Amino acid sequence: MQNRVGARSVQFSSRPKLLSCASTVSRAEGEGPLGSCFDVILEDDKLGAGSFEQAELMMFENTVRLACAKVRLSPSDIGCLLAGDLLNQIITANYGARNLGMPFLGLYGACSTMSESLLIGGMLVDGGYLSPVACVSCSHFSTAERQYRFPLELGTTAPPTSQRTVTGAGCLLVGDALPETPMLSHCVITGATVGKVIDLGITDANNMGAAMAPAACDTIVTHFADTGRRPEDYDLIVTGDLGKFGTEMLHRLLQKQGLGLAGRHVDCGNLIYPPEPKYDCGGSGCGCSAVTLAGHLLPKLEAGELKRILFIATGALMSPTSSLQGESIPGIAHGVVLESNK
């Protein structure tokens, strides 16, 4: 297996290309530090729909269509849609695939879905199986809150460790060759590290950062052990979405492993909102790392400002039922290596 590296990592010999990206967010994210980076900022996060769930579906579809339109492709040109969201039975991705008419592989990695889709998409393209593929992840504050916590109408006060679910959708197109009118010409996927489910017994559904940090630590340590690289070999090591508390926990866990990130670590949950009390510990949700990657990081990679990043989206693999039954919260984190060939 020539593409296998170490215990859980792979390298892509054909260096699959990132062809296009698109991002959509609501006003809250648009007013944040990264607001100028996003393609679409919604004035109405309900999009005139009858429910927030229907609005999330519209946001998903529109973002996929925008990513395709940027390189003059139609949904029928896409070899496979790799997508997921936070709702039960990933209904946003399911209905989106129905409406878009694309071949579809539904994914559930919670907030790790963006890196999971890129990992699998890279494998499909590198293996010569399907191209291009659309990697998509999205979430909506109002749908996630009433599914996992409390209806907004209750006005429940969030504890200090909580994070705000990002209303956002990100789509990246990955292929084996650039289209005639490429949007991205210098971004490639060169490798990945498959995550392992890690559970240290966290049961607080309002403390996702603590639940996911151990999985991020495991994936980072494994990636460097598998590849023989060091943090200094990357311009950025990007996690999402640990938030403020989860980031502190990650660094403490890495210190116990004798590993520091040499000041190269950033977390999408810490980047997307301003450091204000109403955002608590930062952002979370499938859309957080997706829009940060599509809107903020890839343009820097395309311009050559960043040469190599390790993108590690993190997910908490619980459900409303498991939380109510007192189950602990397993975490997962997948790593993807993105490089600029400029």
Side-chain angles (χ1 to χ4, degrees):
M1 299 176 64
Q2 62 179 359
N3 286 356
R4 178 77 171 268
V5 180
R8 291 174 7 219
S9 298
V10 294
Q11 61 183 5
F12 300 134
S13 55
S14 70
R15 299 165 67 91
K17 299 170 177 57
L18 294 172
L19 313 179
S20 172
C21 60
S23 57
T24 302
V25 299
S26 75
R27 185 183 299 177
E29 295 76 24
E31 293 175 349
L34 306 182
S36 62
C37 301
F38 305 124
D39 291 307
V40 178
I41 299 174
L42 303 173
E43 289 297 319
D44 172 20
D45 65 359
K46 205 172 182 181
L47 281 81
S51 71
F52 287 113
E53 286 76 13
Q54 291 174 353
E56 184 174 339
L57 173 60
M58 293 171 63
M59 180 175 65
F60 177 99
E61 287 185 49
N62 291 344
T63 305
V64 175
R65 293 184 188 278
L66 178 58
C68 292
K70 285 183 177 184
V71 288
R72 299 184 182 180
L73 295 176
S74 69
S76 61
D77 296 317
I78 303 301
C80 188
L81 173 67
L82 302 162
D85 55 88
L86 289 179
L87 301 186
N88 288 342
Q89 286 75 52
I90 56 169
I91 56 171
T92 300
N94 291 344
Y95 293 148
R98 175 196 66 185
N99 297 344
L100 291 165
M102 296 176 174
F104 174 55
L105 289 174
L107 307 176
Y108 186 80
C111 302
S112 73
T113 300
M114 193 71 247
S115 57
E116 181 181 5
S117 65
L118 287 171
L119 189 158
I120 296 173
M123 289 179 173
L124 291 173
V125 173
D126 188 59
Y129 299 108
L130 293 167
S131 178
V133 299
C135 302
V136 193
S137 185
C138 78
S139 57
H140 195 296
F141 172 74
S142 299
T143 64
E145 283 300 307
R146 67 180 173 196
Q147 175 169 290
Y148 285 100
R149 283 172 282 273
F150 300 98
L152 298 179
E153 293 82 357
L154 291 180
T156 307
T157 301
T161 56
S162 67
Q163 295 168 244
R164 179 187 173 96
T165 302
V166 165
T167 298
C171 176
L172 278 67
L173 302 186
V174 183
D176 55 9
L178 293 175
E180 292 183 4
T181 56
M183 172 203 169
L184 301 171
S185 303
H186 304 290
C187 301
V188 294
I189 306 176
T190 59
T193 298
V194 179
K196 182 178 179 181
V197 176
I198 305 292
D199 188 343
L200 294 191
I202 302 295
T203 58
D204 184 0
N206 288 298
N207 195 354
M208 295 292 95
M212 298 185 292
C217 176
D218 176 78
T219 298
I220 291 170
V221 170
T222 300
H223 177 79
F224 288 128
D226 285 352
T227 62
R229 289 177 177 168
R230 303 171 299 168
E232 293 81 2
D233 294 320
Y234 292 87
D235 294 311
L236 283 181
I237 298 166
V238 183
T239 56
D241 321 303
L242 301 179
K244 181 180 178 182
F245 184 79
T247 297
E248 293 174 0
M249 185 173 177
L250 170 64
H251 287 283
R252 291 183 182 182
L253 291 170
L254 288 171
Q255 286 174 2
K256 291 183 178 180
Q257 298 284 340
L259 182 63
L261 298 184
R264 286 168 165 77
H265 174 248
V266 296
D267 183 78
C268 298
N270 294 328
L271 293 175
I272 198 162
Y273 293 127
E276 298 178 6
K278 66 178 179 179
Y279 296 118
D280 301 306
C281 271
S284 68
C286 287
C288 184
S289 60
V291 300
T292 302
L293 177 62
H296 175 59
L297 296 172
L298 282 187
K300 292 181 178 295
L301 205 66
E302 174 68 12
E305 295 177 32
L306 299 172
K307 292 296 186 182
R308 179 189 288 158
I309 67 174
L310 177 58
F311 175 72
I312 309 166
T314 57
L317 303 179
M318 88 300 189
S319 75
T321 303
S322 64
S323 294
L324 290 172
Q325 292 175 351
E327 264 284 6
S328 57
I329 303 172
I332 189 78
H334 304 291
V336 181
V337 181
L338 305 174
E339 298 189 33
S340 172
N341 59 18
K342 189 168 184 177

